[in-house]
């Protein structure tokens, strides 16, 4: 969308809020970016979105390591959808939606995120 991407800003904001306020368990509820991507041979290669998510989740992890009571992180958004400001022109989802057929294709970022969650669960020793 032409907007600056600055993952350290998320970490800095979380640390500032933690320093200045008694934060309750904190959730990042909508974090993602719109990038041009389209299916090619049944796959959607969205390296920019994967990098966006990886760097922002790393920033949240750094804040957590410094004492911010992080309780969760949610990607914006699961599927490409209608955005009030941009209609169907911008795609934020980790799952590509063909608006003509409604077919859904997990993007590479969705597969990366799935694997990240599985690795975290394995480290915690939980299956849920």
């Amino acid at each position: 969308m032409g907007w600056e991407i600055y993952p350290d800003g998320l970490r800095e904001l979380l640390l500032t809020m933690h320093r200045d306020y008694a934060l309750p368990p904190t959730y990042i509820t909508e974090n993602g970016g719109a990038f041009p991507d389209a299916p090619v041979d049944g796959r959607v290669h969205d390296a920019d979105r994967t990098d966006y998510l990886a760097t922002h989740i790393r920033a949240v992890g750094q804040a957590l390591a410094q004492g911010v009571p992080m309780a969760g992180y949610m990607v914006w958004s699961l599927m490409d959808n209608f955005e009030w400001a941009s209609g169907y022109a911008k795609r934020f989802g980790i799952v590509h939606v063909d608006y003509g057929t409604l077919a859904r294709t997990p993007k590479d970022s969705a597969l990366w995120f799935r694997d990240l969650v599985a690795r975290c669960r394995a480290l915690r020793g939980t299956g849920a």
Side-chain angles (χ1 to χ4, degrees):
M1 293 185 64
W3 297 351
E4 178 182 11
I5 297 174
Y6 183 61
D8 286 339
L10 179 56
R11 179 185 49 80
E12 292 165 4
L13 175 64
L14 291 167
L15 290 171
T16 298
M17 291 176 60
H18 177 59
R19 181 190 68 226
D20 294 351
Y21 304 98
L23 288 181
T26 302
Y27 294 84
I28 302 300
T29 58
E30 291 187 6
N31 186 247
F35 300 96
D37 48 46
V40 176
D41 296 327
R43 299 274 312 264
V44 180
H45 305 291
D46 61 339
D48 289 335
R49 181 175 293 102
T50 301
D51 182 64
Y52 180 99
L53 295 174
T55 56
H56 282 79
I57 291 169
R58 186 176 308 117
V60 170
Q62 291 166 345
L64 177 63
Q66 294 179 56
V68 178
M70 296 306 306
Y73 174 93
M74 294 159 218
V75 174
W76 180 256
S77 104
L78 174 63
M79 292 187 286
D80 293 332
N81 59 15
F82 181 85
E83 295 289 330
W84 288 109
S86 303
Y88 292 106
K90 302 294 182 185
R91 293 181 176 269
F92 287 85
I94 60 175
V95 175
H96 180 273
V97 177
D98 180 317
Y99 297 129
T101 66
L102 299 181
R104 294 166 176 94
T105 304
K107 300 176 186 179
D108 287 354
S109 58
L111 304 177
W112 174 87
F113 192 68
R114 174 202 62 196
D115 293 347
L116 173 68
V117 170
R119 286 191 308 273
C120 290
R121 285 181 175 164
L123 287 172
R124 289 178 50 201
T126 64

